[in-house]
Amino acid sequence: MDTKTDMMESIVCVEPGQMALEQRPRPVKAPEGWVLVDIAAIGICGTDYHIFEGKHPFLDYPRVIGHELSGHIESGPDAGKLVVINPYLSCGACRACRRGKPNCCSAVSVLGVHRDGGMCARIAVPAENVYPADGLTPQQAAMVEFLAIGAHAVARSGTGEGDVVLVTGAGPIGIGTALFARLAGAEVHLMDLSPTRLDLARDLFGFEKRYQPDEDILAGALSEGFDVVFDATGNARAIEAGFPLLAHGGSAVLVSVVKDDITFADSEFHKREARIIGSRNALKSDFERVMAAMRAGDIPTDALQSEVIAMADLPGRFADLVGARDHLVKVLVRP
């Protein structure tokens, strides 16, 4: 490759603590069944922060980050169409895939984690992983993926009208979960170690019922516990602390993932006839549910968007963003 247009700028986490703007080859031809997408906007995720901090268990460096992606189809009959990219590339052959659960494919490959992601100008992805984003802006479309994780968790839980739910962890995934639990008709409570995050949840999204972990909340109207406890903390001790907060007949939904073992008192769990539900990634139906809610004005996308940064400025800003993440909901990057 010897022309400027054969190369593109990409954001690469070279090693923990080092983010760089590098020139990488620009894809010019997609494999059969794949499409080229010119990236329009990228969301920065907690996963990206963990990669920068060296805390991600499934990643080899260097890695082009970025899996919250929107863009325009590069060529063909749909050229120029705005799409959302589903970053979970499934094998299509394992038992989970055969049963319509590609989100938990046994060989799933996630953009920006297991393979290079979309923090770049153009990417090739399977055609089945792009969904039309008609009626959305590129920035809104780049926020669909992280919201789909919460939408999937709420759908998995069966949360509905009249349920009293607690979301532990008021970061972006927790906020997304809380928004879709509220849309499902539930009374939503939030818990987080950070008073800053809790204040953001109140000021931007109207979540008034907020607690910190050291508060004794099982009293009065909450004395019987919560119908559903969603964990979005990524902390094993927080997950364990959520089990005693379940009402009889309740469900604990693990939206986050931890490497640690998790324990609970079986007698307490059994007498409640409680359920533990794992919730991993999202399905096409969850992406579509999120986009429909955005089009209907049910998701406050302006409040979710904390800042838009030019890609060229990101390496110099990334460490500061990591340190300020309690004050941010979603930072977007512009190629």
Side-chain angles (χ1 to χ4, degrees), residues 277-314:
I277 301 171
S279 183
R280 187 181 187 193
N281 300 331
L283 294 165
K284 180 180 181 181
S285 58
D286 302 307
F287 281 76
E288 291 174 341
R289 185 179 303 112
V290 171
M291 288 190 279
M294 285 182 170
R295 294 183 189 107
D298 293 332
I299 299 296
T301 53
D302 287 345
L304 289 169
Q305 181 179 305
S306 301
E307 186 177 355
V308 179
I309 296 175
M311 184 183 291
D313 296 334
L314 188 61

Side-chain angles (χ1 to χ4, degrees), residues 11-161:
I11 295 292
V12 181
C13 191
V14 180
E15 60 184 24
Q18 184 181 347
M19 202 70 73
L21 184 70
E22 294 187 359
Q23 295 291 322
R24 292 287 183 98
R26 182 192 303 269
V28 294
K29 184 177 180 181
E32 185 177 354
W34 290 45
V35 294
L36 297 178
V37 179
D38 289 327
I39 297 298
I42 311 108
I44 298 178
C45 175
T47 296
D48 302 317
Y49 295 140
H50 291 154
I51 290 170
F52 183 78
E53 294 172 313
K55 295 179 179 179
H56 201 287
F58 307 122
L59 186 123
D60 295 322
Y61 298 88
R63 176 65 72 221
V64 177
I65 62 171
H67 64 272
E68 299 179 1
L69 309 169
S70 73
H72 297 93
I73 300 293
E74 185 268 338
S75 61
D78 291 325
K81 180 181 285 291
L82 180 67
V83 295
V84 171
I85 296 175
N86 180 336
Y88 324 125
L89 278 56
S90 57
C91 73
C94 71
R95 183 168 182 81
C97 287
R98 296 196 310 270
R99 299 181 69 205
K101 300 179 179 181
N103 61 303
C104 53
C105 167
S106 61
V108 70
S109 180
V110 181
L111 296 176
V113 178
H114 304 101
R115 60 169 62 206
D116 283 342
M119 194 78 77
C120 56
R122 179 183 293 172
I123 191 170
V125 293
E128 63 187 14
N129 282 66
V130 299
Y131 311 142
D134 301 338
L136 304 184
T137 68
Q139 290 73 29
Q140 289 173 322
M143 293 190 283
V144 170
E145 188 272 341
F146 93 86
L147 291 168
I149 292 175
H152 183 71
V154 172
R156 290 271 292 152
S157 72
T159 296
E161 193 74 34

Side-chain angles (χ1 to χ4, degrees), residues 163-295:
D163 284 337
V164 180
V165 309
L166 175 68
V167 178
T168 60
I173 298 298
I175 291 296
T177 303
L179 288 170
F180 278 90
R182 185 165 65 187
L183 285 176
E187 175 184 303
V188 179
H189 301 243
L190 293 180
M191 179 180 286
D192 198 284
L193 275 170
S194 169
T196 301
R197 282 185 174 178
L198 293 175
D199 288 346
L200 273 180
R202 177 197 61 203
D203 297 342
L204 295 178
F205 309 107
F207 291 111
E208 296 288 349
K209 300 175 174 65
R210 308 167 336 277
Y211 317 98
Q212 292 187 274
D214 56 356
E215 294 184 53
D216 181 10
I217 61 177
L218 294 185
L222 297 177
S223 60
E224 293 186 277
F226 296 91
D227 300 303
V228 188
V229 175
F230 295 93
D231 179 84
T233 65
N235 182 282
R237 304 291 80 81
I239 293 172
E240 292 174 347
F243 293 136
L245 302 179
L246 284 174
H248 283 239
S251 299
V253 184
L254 307 187
V255 191
S256 64
V257 61
V258 298
K259 294 179 66 176
D260 313 87
D261 291 337
I262 298 169
T263 62
F264 55 88
D266 180 65
S267 59
E268 289 295 318
F269 205 79
H270 190 84
K271 77 180 184 182
R272 286 170 168 79
E273 198 183 48
R275 298 188 299 166
I276 297 179
I277 301 171
S279 183
R280 187 181 187 193
N281 300 331
L283 294 165
K284 180 180 181 181
S285 58
D286 302 307
F287 281 76
E288 291 174 341
R289 185 179 303 112
V290 171
M291 288 190 279
M294 285 182 170
R295 294 183 189 107

